[in-house]
Amino acid sequence: MTFLFVPSPLVGAATWAPVADLLGGPVADLAGATTPAAVVDAVAAAAAGLEEVVLVPHSNAGLYAPLLAARLGARATVYVDAALAGDGPDTPLAPPRFLELLQDLACDDGLLPPWTRWWEDVSGLFPDDATRAAVEAGQPRLPLAYFTSRVEVPPGWLSRPNAYLAFGDTYADEVALALAHGWPLTTMPGRHLHQLVAPTEVAGAIAELAARAGAP
């Protein structure tokens, strides 16, 4: 099998680099992808020529995973501290209350600040200053319009081979949904970018969950 890491379009490929190095899979390059269609096309391009793909989406990228898994014929999807789409036929890229926050952050040109500037203090998300700098260098400035878009959700995706890796309890609702559908689940203590803090442990958990989900 080949792991295909899908970073959140909000933070970029550097968030997956250490784990991808350990597991030997590519990271989808979403640079310049400012619409849902562009995100899907970028992941499809990264998957070209790969066999027995296991998708590994993080954060906002989880909303794309049902559509991507169907289009790519993925063997399994291991969601990592990721949003889940729900039961279609499509899903918003931001819930209403979060969209209100984003509207307050948007500049006059309709662009949002880089993700690390949405919050008062993100220093605890990173293991060191160099890692933070690498992530921040790859962060896009997405248009507010991106978050008013919706992504197609194919029927029956909740019954596909899926697994979930949670860092702490931020995604408690998603964990509950995974449990309700009998997905393999692992919870690790940590914050939202724990894959940068403990890449070896996270890589091991992803490989184990993929096997438990039925990937070869």
Side-chain angles (χ1 to χ4, degrees), residues 193-214:
L193 298 179
H194 193 59
Q195 70 268 36
L196 293 173
V197 176
T200 301
E201 291 80 357
V202 170
I206 290 169
E208 179 188 19
L209 285 166
R212 289 169 60 193

Side-chain angles (χ1 to χ4, degrees), residues 158-187:
L158 286 162
S159 299
R160 291 180 60 91
N162 299 308
Y164 200 97
L165 173 59
F167 302 145
D169 59 2
T170 301
Y171 284 86
D173 290 343
E174 286 77 6
V175 167
L177 183 64
L179 286 171
H181 287 272
W183 298 2
L185 170 70
T186 297
T187 300

Side-chain angles (χ1 to χ4, degrees), residues 52-81:
E52 305 289 348
V53 169
V54 175
L55 286 174
V56 189
H58 175 247
S59 194
N60 185 261
L63 299 172
Y64 291 90
L67 178 60
L68 291 169
R71 291 197 179 180
L72 302 178
R75 290 298 305 263
T77 301
V78 179
Y79 293 85
V80 178
D81 224 39

Side-chain angles (χ1 to χ4, degrees), residues 80-193:
V80 178
D81 224 39
L84 297 180
D87 195 14
D90 56 27
T91 190
L93 288 172
R97 290 184 63 184
F98 189 54
L99 190 57
E100 292 177 7
L101 168 68
L102 297 179
Q103 288 168 339
D104 291 338
L105 290 174
C107 300
D108 292 341
D109 59 5
L111 293 176
L112 291 161
W115 180 78
T116 51
R117 289 170 50 193
W118 294 7
W119 322 105
E120 291 186 3
D121 182 15
V122 296
S123 58
L125 295 175
F126 302 97
D128 50 56
D129 291 342
T131 302
R132 177 173 180 169
V135 170
E136 290 186 328
Q139 287 184 125
R141 292 192 62 197
L142 293 175
L144 179 63
Y146 169 87
F147 292 96
T148 64
S149 304
R150 303 182 74 89
V151 177
E152 178 187 348
V153 180
W157 76 272
L158 286 162
S159 299
R160 291 180 60 91
N162 299 308
Y164 200 97
L165 173 59
F167 302 145
D169 59 2
T170 301
Y171 284 86
D173 290 343
E174 286 77 6
V175 167
L177 183 64
L179 286 171
H181 287 272
W183 298 2
L185 170 70
T186 297
T187 300
M188 303 178 70
R191 299 180 66 183
H192 191 46
L193 298 179

